[in-house]
Amino acid sequence: MDRKTYRYVSHTITAHPNTDVTYEAECLRCNWTDVQGDDSAPVDIACMEHTGRTGHEGFRRICTSFALVTRSE
């Protein structure tokens, strides 16, 4: 007979301390993408400029962060 032991341990998840959040955007109508940055404002401005040039109104805005999971004590 096999015996199994289950241990339930609480964990927490936080932003990884050695990384930054990055922002980027891509147009939903064409292949335009904006360069990644660590601030959302320039990405938003680039989207508005793209709309002004092309009339394209839909964008996917991507915010990437890295997480660190640690065991709770």
Side-chain angles (χ1 to χ4, degrees), residues 10-49:
S10 296
H11 290 82
T12 58
I13 187 167
T14 57
H16 195 288
N18 298 327
T19 62
D20 294 323
V21 176
T22 57
Y23 301 91
E24 59 186 303
E26 56 188 43
C27 180
L28 297 177
R29 291 190 58 196
C30 69
N31 291 328
W32 177 87
T33 59
D34 186 48
V35 180
Q36 294 182 1
D38 59 358
D39 185 10
S40 64
V43 174
D44 292 344
I45 291 169
C47 290
M48 290 185 276
E49 290 172 348

